[in-house]
């Protein structure tokens, strides 16, 4: 397993991370345990969850129980900001909510500290100064080691960088955004901003919700139990004629090199220097094997150029 530093920090994480959004919904406790143990066996150290995953915090609860005895060997990343209950103080990035949210996550994870605490999405109602000061307090208290953001636009990442400098508080070291062969929008502005200001990209949906595995075929019924089968608007966004045409070309590219689509999707991300770790979910241990093996492929400059021409 390769390890990379997150941003300009000293925090090293495995190049493949385990996304734990399936825990508590598509995976019961025993399934989740099997997946996590296989990830540990393969050298994965980054486990990414969120307070909303699993409904009512079950993903964090599962992860906390499963990682007992392994805490010092892993990097636990979680998120706050999405709606966790009724009323005005159960979501967002205000100081009031952050101070409650971190205690709730620490309790569910059954740990004294969170390695990477991430703002799940921008809060348009809270000044970034307030959010950064609150997060800096948590770092100083030892409850959080590092901080990151998710779903920020480039201008928001840039604003946060300069505000942290001005206030002399803990800066963000990572940006978790959707990023895959079908969705490369962040390359236009967010990636250059992160490169300039010392943040690593943590791609989520590296397989485009399973589309890049090739399990969905044009004109055929969606396989039962798959993510896109009941995804509604997400399915409509992904299952387009354009994407099926791109998939066909990518499959030919991979097959010509004796590889599969998972190899290409994750290997392409692993070949990007701005990527710190690829957040890949799994519902079965064998999927973890596949994800880790895929990250070993490093595309050559010529291959990257060819894939760029297909997916640009």
């Amino acid at each position: 397993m390769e390890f990379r530093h997150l941003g300009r920090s000293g925090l090293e994480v495995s190049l493949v991370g385990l996304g734990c959004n399936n825990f508590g919904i598509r995976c019961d406790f025993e399934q989740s345990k099997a997946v996590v143990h296989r990830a540990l066996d393969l050298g994965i150290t980054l486990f990414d969850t969120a307070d909303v995953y699993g409904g009512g915090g079950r993903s964090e609860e599962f992860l906390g129980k499963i990682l007992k005895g392994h805490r010092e060997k892993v990097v636990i990343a979680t998120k706050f900001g999405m709606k966790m209950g009724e009323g005005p103080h159960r979501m967002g990035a205000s100081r009031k909510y952050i101070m409650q949210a971190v205690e709730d996550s620490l309790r569910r994870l059954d740990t004294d500290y969170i390695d990477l605490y991430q703002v799940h999405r921008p809060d348009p109602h809270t000044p970034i100064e307030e959010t950064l000061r609150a997060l800096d307090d948590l770092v100083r208290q030892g409850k959080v080691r590092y901080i990151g953001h998710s779903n920020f636009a480039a201008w928001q990442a840039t604003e946060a960088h300069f505000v942290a400098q001005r206030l002399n508080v803990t800066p963000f070291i990572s940006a978790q955004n959707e990023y895959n062969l079908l969705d490369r929008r962040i390359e236009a502005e967010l990636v250059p901003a992160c490169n300039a200001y010392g943040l690593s990209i943590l791609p989520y949906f590296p397989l485009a919700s399973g589309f890049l595995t090739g399990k969905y075929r044009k004109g055929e019924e969606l396989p039962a139990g798959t993510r896109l089968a009941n995804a509604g608007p997400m399915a409509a966004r992904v299952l387009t004629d354009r994407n099926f045409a791109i998939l066909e070309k990518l499959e030919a590219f991979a097959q010509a090199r004796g590889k599969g689509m998972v190899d290409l999707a994750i290997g392409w991300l692993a070949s990007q220097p701005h990527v710190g770790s690829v957040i890949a979910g799994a519902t079965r241990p064998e999927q973890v094997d596949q994800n880790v093996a895929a990250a070993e492929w490093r595309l050559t400059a010529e291959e990257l150029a060819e894939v760029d021409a297909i997916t640009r």
Side-chain angles (χ1 to χ4, degrees):
M1 175 65 67
E2 179 182 337
F3 292 84
R4 293 183 182 178
H5 284 89
L6 279 189
R8 294 179 187 150
S9 78
L11 181 64
E12 288 187 272
V13 296
S14 53
L15 180 55
V16 176
L18 182 66
C20 303
N21 56 309
N22 291 313
F23 296 177
I25 296 181
R26 299 180 67 200
C27 296
D28 62 19
F29 181 79
E30 291 303 321
Q31 285 177 287
S32 302
K33 184 177 179 180
V35 168
V36 170
H37 282 181
R38 188 58 183 149
L40 291 169
D41 289 343
L42 293 173
I44 289 177
T45 60
L46 178 61
F47 295 84
D48 181 77
T49 185
D51 51 11
V52 294
Y53 290 171
R58 278 185 297 176
S59 176
E60 287 184 329
E61 290 174 358
F62 284 11
L63 198 59
K65 292 176 182 177
I66 297 167
L67 289 176
K68 274 296 183 184
H70 302 279
R71 183 64 186 94
E72 298 305 317
K73 305 173 186 176
V74 300
V75 174
I76 294 179
T78 192
K79 311 178 196 73
F80 69 91
M82 297 293 198
K83 189 175 182 63
M84 284 292 287
E86 296 305 316
H89 305 306
R90 298 293 292 154
M91 63 184 295
S94 68
R95 172 177 288 273
K96 178 175 176 60
Y97 181 62
I98 289 172
M99 294 305 177
Q100 181 60 55
V102 73
E103 296 297 339
D104 292 341
S105 286
L106 288 169
R107 183 187 70 254
R108 287 188 292 261
L109 288 163
D110 195 14
T111 184
D112 296 327
Y113 65 95
I114 294 165
D115 295 286
L116 181 64
Y117 201 37
Q118 303 161 97
V119 187
H120 208 150
R121 66 181 179 190
D123 179 356
H125 305 294
T126 302
I128 192 63
E129 289 88 344
E130 179 178 340
T131 301
L132 285 167
R133 285 190 187 277
L135 292 172
D136 184 66
D137 286 345
L138 296 181
V139 172
R140 293 174 186 274
Q141 293 166 13
K143 295 179 179 180
V144 168
R145 297 291 193 256
Y146 299 90
I147 61 173
H149 54 66
S150 180
N151 298 307
F152 272 36
W155 72 266
Q156 292 164 323
T158 301
E159 179 188 32
H161 169 79
F162 285 107
V163 168
Q165 276 194 337
R166 175 167 56 83
L167 299 179
N168 192 30
V169 295
T170 304
F172 292 119
I173 64 167
S174 61
Q176 188 169 156
N177 288 71
E178 183 170 0
Y179 185 35
N180 55 58
L181 284 166
L182 297 180
D183 189 344
R184 297 175 56 185
R185 290 173 296 173
I186 67 169
E187 291 178 344
E189 295 184 347
L190 182 64
V191 169
C194 289
N195 287 340
Y197 305 130
L199 289 79
S200 290
I201 301 293
L202 297 176
Y204 69 79
F205 290 171
L207 301 176
S209 299
F211 182 86
L212 288 171
T213 64
K215 70 176 69 172
Y216 304 99
R217 312 311 298 184
K218 187 175 181 180
E220 296 182 7
E221 187 173 342
L222 301 181
T226 57
R227 180 185 292 272
L228 292 179
N230 300 301
M234 180 186 291
R237 179 168 62 88
V238 175
L239 301 172
T240 65
D241 289 343
R242 171 190 177 274
N243 286 347
F244 277 115
I246 291 174
L247 178 64
E248 185 177 347
K249 294 177 182 177
L250 290 174
E251 286 178 325
F253 175 92
Q255 289 169 6
R257 290 157 179 81
K259 301 287 187 178
M261 275 305 304
V262 174
D263 298 316
L264 177 55
I266 293 180
W268 178 79
L269 286 170
S271 300
Q272 309 299 325
H274 47 265
V275 168
S277 182
V278 181
I279 306 299
T283 56
R284 303 187 308 276
E286 53 267 31
Q287 291 177 328
V288 183
D289 288 272
Q290 192 175 20
N291 294 340
V292 170
E296 297 176 0
W297 186 13
R298 292 296 178 278
L299 279 69
T300 66
E302 292 76 15
E303 288 172 332
L304 287 170
E306 188 172 342
V307 171
D308 182 67
I310 296 171
T311 62
R312 186 181 310 137

